[in-house]
Amino acid sequence: MSTAFLTLDGISKRFDPRLTLGDRIAARFGATVEDRPVRAVTEVSLTINPGETLGLVGESGCGKSTLGRIVAGILPPTAGTVTIDGEPVLHNGRKVTTRVQTVFQDPFASLDPRMRIGDTVAEGPIAHGLVTKANAADYVRGWLQRVGLEPDFADRYPHQFSGGQRQRVAIARALAMQPDLLVCDEPVASLDVSIQAQIINLFLELRRDLGITCLFISHDLGVVRHVSDRVAIMYLGRIVEVGSTEQIYRDPKHPYTRALLDSVPRLVLEDDALVEFNAITGEIPSPLAPPPGCTFHPRCPLAVDACRRDVPALMADGTDRLVACHVRAMERNAAATTALEEGR
Ligand SMILES: Nc1ncnc2c1ncn2[C@@H]1O[C@H](COP(=O)(O)OP(=O)(O)O)[C@@H](O)[C@H]1O
Ligand SMILES: [Mg+2]
């Protein structure tokens, strides 16, 4: 039996176009109006183990936030299920659990400017009976302290804080709900580099001390490497590779993962063991019209006929790593055949 704590099973999300009256009239007169659905997420199956941080990486627009919002129960998927310990996160399109909480990129937008931050942090826990009104002040002070803020800051308003402090408040608000899973969507992307490091250290401390399970979304491979136990690489709505952080960064298997790593300065990766790769070339295709077969094939230096025709399945490569690549699968088969012949 799997010990998976969070399970995503066959998650897809399509955004259907909302044509305005103007669009429809224009279309009647022969104008080209975009009416194809956006395939933001396609057939994603993933698991996160208890206490684990899974990093989700990919270029802008590949579907990371959409997947994160589905995991958090904020957005219903078009197909597939999300379960925590076997319990669905959504029921009839509504979030039915407080076990998942979120931290977003922009802490300014996610905090109510008119509320004292103590009240912001206390609101959810009081509403869900995690703390009584009478005990809320102490409860909040405890969480503020836990994220590295002065307990007395509870009386202040969001504008009195720096970006990093506001993100700490957003983290305290999420933790005060005592979640089992935290979905963090680009939580340090809007912060200065020095502040990013402080918030990343806070995440590392929280994971160590509270054993929190986390889906950590970022376009930044350097950030993901620091916080993740395992990493999933997303391209055009699909997961193309999943492995331990060590496997992904030392020995990427999918040509897209290799290209992504190669596009990052060595300094950020702090790794001289990486082999030289060719830089990523070509544009990301539109999710309105994904290419047939492997969606990466138009940009892939290794592509063969099968890649233009069939979607590669995400398959184990003999270890606990998963790779969706025809060429890698063929290489594994060839190696297995050679091994058989040599053994004969
Ligand atoms: N509410 C929406 N309506 C229509 N298209 C959307 C919506 N949200 C996201 N998309 C599209 O889905 C794709 C994935 O977006 P997103 O999940 O935000 O990617 P990422 O977080 O990786 O940058 C993009 O093409 C984006 O334009
Ligand atoms: Mg995003």
Side-chain angles (χ1 to χ4, degrees):
M1 276 304 283
S2 138
T3 54
F5 164 72
L6 175 83
T7 305
L8 307 188
D9 190 12
I11 297 291
S12 294
K13 182 68 188 181
R14 238 185 29 217
F15 291 107
D16 289 316
R18 292 244 158 78
L19 294 189
T20 61
L21 183 60
D23 289 338
R24 273 185 252 135
I25 293 169
R28 276 209 42 182
F29 284 96
T32 12
V33 170
E34 201 49 82
D35 61 352
R36 283 175 293 187
V38 178
R39 296 174 187 283
V41 174
T42 307
E43 289 162 25
V44 169
S45 296
L46 271 179
T47 56
I48 306 185
N49 298 316
E52 181 179 61
T53 296
L54 178 74
L56 178 63
V57 200
E59 288 161 288
S60 174
C62 74
K64 302 180 299 295
S65 293
T66 301
L67 188 61
R69 288 163 67 207
I70 291 170
V71 171
I74 300 167
L75 189 71
T78 311
T81 53
V82 181
T83 51
I84 291 186
D85 273 344
E87 284 175 37
V89 167
L90 283 174
H91 184 68
N92 292 337
R94 281 183 54 124
K95 187 177 174 187
V96 289
T97 180
T98 59
R99 296 180 71 182
V100 197
Q101 294 296 320
T102 43
V103 176
F104 293 109
Q105 172 171 353
D106 185 355
F108 214 10
S110 65
L111 299 175
D112 187 335
R114 293 156 305 174
M115 270 171 81
R116 293 180 200 275
I117 60 127
D119 295 332
T120 294
V121 174
E123 202 177 26
I126 292 174
H128 287 90
L130 296 171
V131 67
T132 60
K133 259 195 179 144
N135 294 330
D138 278 344
Y139 185 76
V140 166
R141 291 168 68 89
W143 281 112
L144 292 181
Q145 207 157 15
R146 190 69 208 71
V147 299
L149 293 172
E150 296 289 330
D152 291 346
F153 285 3
D155 295 330
R156 299 192 186 174
Y157 290 91
H159 74 265
Q160 294 173 284
F161 294 100
S162 67
Q165 286 175 326
R166 277 199 291 265
Q167 199 54 296
R168 287 177 196 267
V169 173
I171 294 166
R173 178 179 56 181
L175 293 176
M177 288 298 289
Q178 304 177 20
D180 295 310
L181 176 76
L182 211 51
V183 175
C184 302
D185 190 356
E186 305 273 8
V188 300
S190 65
L191 306 174
D192 291 346
V193 172
S194 61
I195 310 295
Q196 283 192 1
Q198 293 172 12
I199 299 293
I200 287 168
N201 284 334
L202 174 62
F203 276 116
L204 294 175
E205 269 174 50
L206 293 170
R207 184 178 58 176
R208 189 191 59 214
D209 300 347
L210 306 177
I212 200 115
T213 309
C214 185
L215 175 64
F216 193 100
I217 299 172
S218 177
H219 69 282
D220 186 328
L221 282 153
V223 168
V224 165
R225 182 178 207 175
H226 280 296
V227 298
S228 308
D229 300 301
R230 282 192 308 140
V231 175
I233 310 286
M234 196 168 192
Y235 184 73
L236 218 64
R238 291 180 185 269
I239 301 297
V240 297
E241 181 164 5
V242 189
S244 70
T245 306
E246 169 82 17
Q247 285 171 332
I248 296 285
Y249 286 80
R250 294 233 165 234
D251 182 24
K253 291 288 190 216
H254 197 285
Y256 177 62
T257 314
R258 291 193 160 211
L260 254 192
L261 283 166
D262 196 49
S263 63
V264 177
R266 286 298 125 80
L267 201 65
V268 175
L269 293 171
E270 294 159 11
D271 194 341
D272 47 17
L274 278 173
V275 210
E276 287 296 328
F277 300 126
N278 293 322
I280 194 157
T281 54
E283 292 292 310
I284 310 182
S286 162
L288 290 167
C294 172
T295 50
F296 187 59
H297 86 252
R299 298 168 89 184
C300 184
L302 308 179
V304 296
D305 277 348
C307 309
R308 297 178 194 101
R309 199 178 53 227
D310 306 318
V311 178
L314 196 56
M315 287 194 299
D317 74 340
T319 64
D320 51 2
R321 182 210 303 250
L322 302 170
V323 187
C325 175
H326 290 303
V327 176
R328 294 293 176 229
M330 285 187 260
E331 284 172 2
R332 280 197 306 276
N333 288 342
T337 309
T338 311
L340 264 181
E341 282 168 2
E342 280 171 359
R344 211 181 277 152

